[in-house]
Amino acid sequence: MEMSMIVAALIVFVPALLMFYFVLRGYTYPAVEQPFFEDAKAFTLFAIGLIEGFFISWFYVRFFDMTNIIVGVAFGIVQVLAILVVLNLKRFHSKSDTVFYGFSLGLGQGVGIAFGVSVFLLSIAFIDEIDIMTVAMTVAFVAQELMLMCSVGVTVGEGVARQRLMEYSTKAMLLSMVCMALWSLVFAFDPNSYLWVIPMIGMVIASAFFFYDVIHKRLSVVVADILRSNGIVRKDLPR
């Protein structure tokens, strides 16, 4: 268990912190004189998401069958609802910084879930000889969960900021359900057939596409648009 926790911490927390830094660095000091969000609030929401993620992963691996596609779909919904409950507070409505807090909250939750599931899977992988298949599945789940959940957080945050919560939450929920359903399908095939690789690659590609679209392509555009709707124009947004 100790080895599985160390490895899980490395493959989850290191890429998550790198994502946190590289995505947000252009929107805060010293990149801009007036940050687009409060650093302290972003870290607080990351911590809240982390706690949520730990609880969700604990229930997921302890009480439910992760090989069941219905369970996968249900947990795809739960992941989004956990973010929605926090971001739908009145203090986040109609504010451009809500998308950044959504990113922090979603990434924190993704870290908590990915860590809990990774510890469970790696504890199985390290029982005797190292099970390469289980390690590969773990790494793929971590990649999917981190990219998916920070994108879900931004999408829900955009819905809250634009006051179009149902539209954007539904979009986030559908993508989360698809990725978690694909994750469940990984276990549906005979390990010796290697057909399990197909849904595994599919879930990583789906989450990567979502991440690219939401974070890389649209984040600065969304922030500019929400600021403009509030009568604010800023020319220091990252391109």
Side-chain angles (χ1 to χ4, degrees):
M1 178 62 78
E2 185 179 338
M3 176 60 72
S4 63
M5 289 187 72
I6 293 170
V7 175
L10 286 172
I11 64 174
V12 173
F13 282 92
V14 172
L17 291 174
L18 289 172
M19 288 170 71
F20 197 90
Y21 172 73
F22 283 108
V23 171
L24 297 183
R25 65 174 179 169
Y27 298 92
T28 190
Y29 186 83
V32 291
E33 289 187 10
Q34 292 181 299
F36 288 87
F37 61 92
E38 295 177 33
D39 290 348
K41 194 179 287 187
F43 281 110
T44 299
L45 284 161
F46 178 84
I48 291 170
L50 192 62
I51 295 167
E52 285 185 339
F54 284 145
F55 275 107
I56 292 170
S57 68
W58 184 76
F59 277 100
Y60 183 44
V61 301
R62 188 174 178 84
F63 298 109
F64 295 92
D65 179 9
M66 68 172 65
T67 68
N68 188 317
I69 193 167
I70 296 174
V71 171
V73 170
F75 268 82
I77 296 171
V78 168
Q79 289 184 136
V80 180
L81 290 178
I83 291 175
L84 187 56
V85 166
V86 177
L87 290 185
N88 199 31
L89 296 173
K90 195 171 182 180
R91 72 186 70 173
F92 296 118
H93 289 192
S94 303
K95 295 180 179 178
S96 62
D97 56 358
T98 301
V99 296
F100 298 108
Y101 302 139
F103 173 85
S104 300
L105 180 67
L107 184 60
Q109 187 178 305
V111 168
I113 294 171
F115 180 74
V117 173
S118 296
V119 170
F120 173 74
L121 292 173
L122 291 173
S123 64
I124 297 171
F126 296 157
I127 288 176
D128 294 313
E129 294 182 359
I130 296 176
D131 183 352
I132 300 300
M133 183 189 82
T134 306
V135 172
M137 288 165 56
T138 304
V139 172
F141 180 79
V142 170
Q144 178 235 210
E145 194 66 14
L146 295 184
M147 291 188 291
L148 173 67
M149 292 316 299
C150 65
S151 305
V152 163
V154 170
T155 303
V156 174
E158 182 181 355
V160 173
R162 292 186 188 276
Q163 294 286 279
R164 289 155 59 186
L165 195 55
M166 186 62 72
E167 175 188 342
Y168 285 90
S169 296
T170 301
K171 176 185 175 183
M173 206 168 283
L174 287 171
L175 287 161
S176 180
M177 288 163 62
V178 167
C179 287
M180 289 305 292
L182 287 169
W183 167 244
S184 299
L185 283 175
V186 171
F187 300 95
F189 298 100
D190 180 353
N192 296 319
S193 71
Y194 292 101
L195 289 174
W196 54 271
V197 174
I198 297 172
M200 186 180 77
I201 293 174
M203 73 183 191
V204 174
I205 290 174
S207 58
F209 176 80
F210 190 27
F211 179 84
Y212 175 79
D213 181 59
V214 173
I215 305 298
H216 183 74
K217 263 181 86 175
R218 298 185 61 249
L219 183 58
S220 62
V221 176
V222 168
V223 173
D225 194 36
I226 296 169
L227 285 170
R228 207 160 29 243
S229 67
N230 291 327
I232 302 169
V233 177
R234 290 189 59 169
K235 297 181 179 180
D236 54 350
L237 275 161
R239 296 293 180 183

